[in-house]
Amino acid sequence: MSRSSHAPAGLFESRAYGFSQVTVVTTPLGEAVHVSGQVAWDAEQRIVGAGDIGRQLEKSLENLATALASAGASLDQVGSLRLYIRQSHMREGKAISAALRKVFGDAPPCSTWIGVPSLADEAFLIEVEPSVVFLPRR
């Protein structure tokens, strides 16, 4: 098996921090696409939607779509999401649900909402981590 790293255009360059945005592992059955948790940073590491968890989730999902596309995958192939939500914003379920419905419509993936005391940057209110996406052998 082999592993390749992707640095998708439109996302910040994460390798300086010691991790890849996207890693693709070749398996006997195809490729397993792994994506790091996505937050509401633009490519220049500026926060999008400061103080607005709904907008931050939308941007995080946009970033996730960009990351997946770099490996030939898409949001509709994600089976589940882990949402890491700042504990101080756990009561903003309506805004979170609205952002998920806006992106996924009536066919959302499974999700687990996890309250955390903090995230990597004080401005982050939410982080989205997808399940592995499997692509068939080409």
Side-chain angles (χ1 to χ4, degrees):
M1 290 191 226
S2 65
R3 178 178 65 215
S4 63
S5 295
H6 295 234
L11 299 183
F12 79 95
E13 175 51 75
S14 61
R15 290 178 289 195
Y17 296 96
F19 67 95
S20 296
Q21 291 283 4
V22 179
T23 302
V24 178
V25 178
T26 302
T27 74
L29 299 176
E31 296 177 323
V33 180
H34 299 263
V35 178
S36 289
Q38 296 298 307
V39 294
W41 260 356
D42 66 13
E44 287 76 40
Q45 298 179 314
R46 294 180 301 231
I47 191 73
V48 174
D52 181 343
I53 197 165
R55 179 64 189 113
Q56 285 198 22
L57 178 52
E58 289 174 13
K59 178 59 177 167
S60 299
L61 292 169
E62 289 171 23
N63 287 346
L64 176 55
T66 298
L68 289 167
S70 77
S74 63
L75 284 175
D76 65 347
Q77 293 171 292
V78 173
S80 67
L81 297 172
R82 281 171 299 285
L83 305 178
Y84 299 96
I85 305 163
R86 289 254 314 264
Q87 194 68 43
S88 58
H89 289 74
M90 284 298 292
R91 288 195 168 95
E92 295 191 46
K94 287 183 182 180
I96 295 167
S97 295
L100 290 169
R101 281 192 306 275
K102 180 178 179 181
V103 172
F104 294 106
D106 292 333
C110 299
S111 68
T112 300
W113 298 16
I114 304 163
V116 295
S118 63
L119 292 163
D121 186 285
E122 189 63 29
F124 298 154
L125 303 179
I126 193 163
E127 182 169 339
V128 178
E129 183 182 31
S131 59
V132 175
V133 172
F134 294 96
L135 300 176
R137 192 170 251 213
R138 298 178 204 182

